[in-house]
Structures are given as structure tokens and as C-alpha cells.
Amino acid sequence: VFWVEVTCHSLSGSDPNMRLVVAKDVNEQMRLHSEMVRRANYDSLTGLPNRSLLVDRFRQAVERALEAGQRLAVLAIDFDRFKQVNDTFGHQIGDEFLKSSARKLLSVLPECDTLARVGGDEFVVLADCLDSNEECIEVADRLIEALNAPIPIQDLSLQSSISVGIAFYPDHGTDFEEIHRRADFGLYHAKRLGGGCWSSYSQSETSGIQEALEIERSLRQAIETGRFELHYQPICSARKEVRELEALIRFPHPKLGLLLPDRFISVAEESGLIIPMGLWVLREACGQIKKWREQGLRAIPIAVNVSAAQFRGGDLAGDITAIMAEFEVQPELLEIELTESLLMENTEHSWQQLRLLKAAGVRIGVDDFGTGYSSLSYLHRLPLDRLKIDRSFVQEMTAGGTKPIVRAIVELGKALGLSMIAEGVETEEQFREIVGMGCDLLQGFLFSTPKPAEAIAHLLTRDSPVVGPIPNSQSVPIVESLL
């Protein structure tokens, strides 16, 4: 069976019942036409409707809802940590995972609902003919539950949860773009809750989400242009000698001003931007070590914070080794600081990366020790060099509440052969207490706030290794001589 285009012609001067019929084979043209229609309306990977067809179906659904007095809902869906699947196993496995996941999601939806893929790992459900908002919430629960079981791909067993944002017609808008945007707000909130859950649009939460989205957009641009700053904070000995520096990233936002990490690091982690941002910090810190060396300043170790996301799936040890070689930085001049949460993940890949870094001569410290869900077992199993006592313990120590905790951490570190840093030292009393406990190094506003490289360089001259003098008061001074 094939398509033909038929034309019929009367033959003049012949039997009136005679006709000339011409049939032209147009099978290939019809196939190409069907393919063009399919490409215009369907996703090439999953075969699901694309955004164009989804918008058309939304318009039709609105007309039906108005006639029947019913409601509609748009559910924005995004896979949690899908980028790790692509980064770890490659895009071919990632594509197969998306196709299998799409089939699972489709299997739990009513026939009248539409599941569309609008890009990457972003999907949208148009929930049609709803009598109440509760019906949509049941749909969201089924979608989340559908991906609870692992998905077999070749010889792998992969699992990834989804986050779902919900917006309703006509409560949250009357056109698709408006409702979809508000469903995205709900989706973003669900991701900030940890993923694997749903959240409906809430106007009260919109301002914070909008700011986070604005920060994310700006971060993407800043990563392309390298528009970040590194500030450096001295780490001092009990004799007030500057022994090391900690590199701390700052983000000069075009509208919000100079942002500290607590305003944008969580956004970077949720969006996956923390990985290229972390590599920028490592390159900038190693590049600064080389600049200071070329300027005749003394070599001094720099500590860099590393996110757990940088360890998962990638080759962070290889990246760091390559960066050190590029800038001719000796490994003893670089330290990476990890959070307890990374160590508690207990993944062989992360631990192997740590062992490779240790073998390369890079020092490894645990940041904010004591604030996470600590397990003492990892302290002797992992190649650690240092513990950093969290500032909250140090700042409450002189009031008597946390002094036993600080002393116990110092003694634990010493017993395991680890050096200790106390961060957040702001007063003389805190300084004396910490030094009296035998803590190796100290860091805090008592010595200096974090400052740009040019403002800290004079501390690296060979005849000026000391910060001070420390004032004889219990105020919270900032040594302005470091400006």
C-alpha cells in the first residue's frame, strides 16, 4: 500500500465515458511530510509531544475546562542529579535513562493527560479535566513514586528521583507561559527542599525564588567570563605569624552587589554550576601562588573549599594535578577543605579521589568539623591532615557552653596526629583559650577579614610575617593595618 496523487482528464472527441487517469507515486513526499509534522510536534528522543504541541493542547484543554466548569494543572518536572548520570556514564546512557523514565511516567498518567518533553531532563504534564486540586496532587505523588525503583540500562541499575512544581488554571494564570513559569517556581522550591517531592506555586515564596533564579542566570554568565573574585584570609600561628591563607570566593553581582558565598553557593550546587565554579577557584588560587612567587614574595599554602558535587563522577584529583602542573605549584602549597557530609557519603569513588590527591602531596582538611553527622570511623580510615573547628563552637566558647567540646575536638585531633585550626577567633579571650588548649593555627576577624590579593600581599614579604599587634581589649577588632 502506498500513496499516490491522482488526476483525471476528459478526452475530447472520444467516448464520453472514457477518462485519462494519471496516478503519480508520492509515497516519499508523504513520508517526508509526516516526518516534518512529527518533528514539529514531537520530541525526537522520547517520541513525546514537544513544547509546541503542548501549548496547542493547553489551548484546547482550556476550552473544554471552560465548558465543563473544570480545572487544569501544569506540572513542571525535573530529574534530581541527572547531570551526574551523563557525567558518569555518558550521554548515550543518559538518553536511554530518559526514554525509560519517560515510559514509566507515562504509564501512571490518565489517558486524557499529556506528558511532554520541553528540553534536556525537563518534562511537563498537562493534567486535564480536574474537579479539584487534590486530584492533581495525587497525580504528582504517582509520578514521584513511579521512579522509586531502579531502571536497568544495559548492565547498569540507575535511579534518580524527580522534583515536581505545580500551578493551576485559572488560579495562577490564564495563558500557558504564565502558568508554566509559576509551575517552575514550585519546581525550584521542591528542589531547595531536597528533591524527590512536589511543591505548588506560592506567591509568598516567589520573591526568594526569583532572586535565586536571577543569581543562577548571573552565575552562568559569570562562569563564561570568569567574573568572580577571590579574597584571602590569613591563618596564623599562636605567635601571630601568617602561616597560610584560605581562598574565599566572592561574586560581584551586577544588581545585588558583592555577594558572599552564603548567598550563591547553594544555588550553584543545586544547578550544577558549582563544578565549573570550583575549578575556577582552584585555577585562580594556583595562578595567584605563581604571581606572588614571580613578585619575589614568600611561598605560602592556600586552602580551597571543595564541594561534594566536584567529587561525584568526575576526576577531581586529575583536574587538580593538571592545574598544579600548569602553574608549577608544589603540592604542599595547596590544601583542599571538605565538608563532613562528603566524607559521610562513603562512596568508593570519592574516597579513591582523596587517596589520589594525598598520593600527589595535596593536604586534605575537614571544614566546620563537629557540625555535621560525624562518624569517627572516617577520621582514621581517610587520608586526612587537618580538622577545622567550626566558628560556632569558638564564638560560644568563652561563655562556657562549648569549651568542653572545643577541648575534646583538639585532643581528638592531636591523638589522631591531625593538625587543628580554630576559625572564627574574634576576641583576645578566645585567642588565649584556644592557644592554651594547644590548637595549632587560628583564623578570624581578630587577625583579618578576607581581602583581595593585592591587599594581602604585604603579609607575604619575608620581613613581615606577623599580624598584629593584638589589642588589649575584649572587643571584636578588625586589624585595619591589613587594608
Side-chain angles (χ1 to χ4, degrees):
V1 177
F2 58 94
W3 287 92
V4 292
E5 179 185 281
V6 178
T7 59
C8 183
H9 307 272
S10 298
L11 299 177
S12 60
S14 62
D15 187 329
N17 294 320
M18 293 181 65
R19 300 286 189 272
L20 175 62
V21 179
V22 179
K24 179 183 178 182
D25 183 349
V26 292
N27 209 53
E28 182 64 15
Q29 290 94 316
M30 292 299 294
R31 187 191 67 79
L32 292 174
H33 175 73
S34 298
E35 179 66 15
M36 290 173 63
V37 171
R38 189 188 67 80
R39 290 187 180 186
N41 292 283
Y42 291 89
D43 172 56
S44 59
L45 177 66
T46 62
L48 295 174
N50 62 13
R51 185 183 187 87
S52 176
L53 183 55
L54 176 66
V55 172
D56 184 61
R57 290 189 179 181
F58 175 82
R59 296 193 191 102
Q60 298 176 38
V62 167
E63 293 177 3
R64 291 193 298 270
L66 290 174
E67 292 176 2
Q70 292 180 310
R71 308 169 64 77
L72 301 174
V74 170
L75 292 78
I77 300 171
D78 193 74
F79 284 81
D80 303 321
R81 297 173 296 279
F82 172 71
K83 189 176 184 299
Q84 296 173 25
V85 175
N86 271 343
D87 291 345
T88 305
F89 304 108
H91 289 277
Q92 183 177 356
I93 296 295
D95 288 347
E96 291 299 321
F97 177 78
L98 284 180
K99 289 193 286 187
S100 298
S101 299
R103 289 192 292 268
K104 279 196 168 190
L105 296 175
L106 199 58
S107 69
V108 300
L109 288 175
E111 289 187 6
C112 61
D113 291 353
T114 296
L115 174 65
R117 182 182 181 223
V118 295
D121 60 332
E122 301 173 35
F123 292 76
V124 171
V125 169
L126 172 60
D128 202 350
C129 304
L130 300 174
D131 292 318
S132 67
N133 292 355
E134 286 70 23
E135 288 184 50
C136 177
I137 291 172
E138 292 175 5
V139 171
D141 287 335
R142 288 200 302 270
L143 291 169
I144 293 169
E145 187 177 352
L147 292 182
N148 280 344
I151 297 175
I153 305 292
Q154 297 182 12
D155 57 346
L156 301 171
S157 181
L158 304 179
Q159 186 166 10
S160 176
S161 60
I162 58 172
S163 298
V164 181
I166 306 173
F168 295 98
Y169 170 91
D171 301 12
H172 301 141
T174 55
D175 66 83
F176 178 79
E177 295 300 331
E178 183 179 14
I179 295 180
H180 188 205
R181 184 172 64 253
R182 293 184 172 180
D184 276 339
F185 284 142
L187 171 63
Y188 196 86
H189 185 243
K191 282 189 169 292
R192 299 189 83 180
L193 293 174
C197 63
W198 60 265
S199 177
S200 60
Y201 169 77
S202 170
Q203 189 171 4
S204 62
E205 296 164 350
T206 301
S207 58
I209 293 174
Q210 285 178 320
E211 178 180 295
L213 291 172
E214 169 62 29
I215 289 175
E216 180 179 336
R217 284 191 293 268
S218 299
L219 284 176
R220 292 186 186 278
Q221 296 171 359
I223 287 172
E224 294 177 359
T225 60
R227 197 176 69 247
F228 296 104
E229 295 178 7
L230 270 195
H231 288 198
Y232 299 87
Q233 187 172 31
I235 299 173
C236 303
S237 69
R239 295 171 57 85
K240 304 182 288 294
E241 298 170 336
V242 179
R243 294 289 181 83
E244 301 177 18
L245 298 172
E246 181 179 7
L248 299 164
I249 190 169
R250 301 290 187 261
F251 176 32
H253 191 278
K255 297 179 182 177
L256 302 175
L258 189 67
L259 300 185
L260 300 183
D262 61 350
R263 290 283 298 278
F264 64 89
I265 288 297
S266 61
V267 175
E269 289 179 334
E270 291 163 6
S271 61
L273 298 175
I274 192 69
I275 296 174
M277 185 189 303
L279 288 176
W280 181 90
V281 171
L282 286 164
R283 288 182 57 82
E284 188 71 12
C286 288
Q288 190 60 61
I289 291 174
K290 182 177 182 179
K291 288 179 185 176
W292 281 333
R293 183 179 63 226
E294 292 172 347
Q295 293 169 6
L297 301 177
R298 63 191 177 101
I300 189 168
I302 294 181
V304 175
N305 294 283
V306 177
S307 167
Q310 293 175 256
F311 275 88
R312 300 190 191 107
D315 182 17
L316 182 63
D319 292 336
I320 291 176
T321 303
I323 291 171
M324 289 191 302
E326 177 184 354
F327 292 100
E328 301 175 340
V329 170
Q330 300 93 326
E332 61 270 18
L333 294 179
L334 185 66
E335 176 179 331
I336 61 169
E337 292 189 354
L338 318 169
T339 60
E340 287 183 274
S341 60
L342 167 63
L343 302 178
M344 292 298 293
E345 285 184 359
N346 194 22
T347 64
E348 180 56 34
H349 177 78
S350 297
W351 289 20
Q352 178 64 17
Q353 290 289 302
L354 291 175
R355 287 191 284 267
L356 290 172
L357 286 170
K358 181 68 173 180
V362 176
R363 292 186 300 174
I364 302 169
V366 180
D367 196 13
D368 301 332
F369 182 77
T371 59
Y373 297 98
S374 302
S375 171
L376 299 182
S377 62
Y378 71 71
L379 292 180
H380 72 87
R381 294 173 59 192
L382 291 177
L384 302 178
D385 297 286
R386 173 173 295 166
L387 300 180
K388 178 177 280 190
I389 306 169
D390 186 69
R391 68 175 62 249
S392 62
F393 296 133
V394 174
Q395 291 175 353
E396 297 177 19
M397 183 180 59
T398 50
T402 60
K403 188 182 296 185
I405 297 176
V406 175
R407 181 177 288 110
I409 294 175
V410 172
E411 292 177 357
L412 172 66
K414 295 293 186 182
L416 294 172
L418 304 175
S419 64
M420 307 296 300
I421 297 180
E423 65 174 341
V425 179
E426 297 183 350
T427 68
E428 286 184 75
E429 186 177 359
Q430 292 168 352
F431 173 80
R432 288 192 296 267
E433 290 279 2
I434 289 289
V435 170
M437 293 178 185
C439 189
D440 304 294
L441 298 168
L442 306 99
Q443 177 181 3
F445 289 176
L446 182 64
F447 310 106
S448 174
T449 57
K451 300 187 187 303
E454 59 271 16
I456 214 85
H458 74 280
L459 291 175
L460 307 183
T461 57
R462 300 186 184 278
D463 59 348
S464 179
V466 178
V467 174
I470 297 178
N472 292 318
S473 70
Q474 296 188 16
S475 60
V476 185
I478 298 175
V479 184
E480 293 301 327
S481 62
L482 296 176
L483 286 172

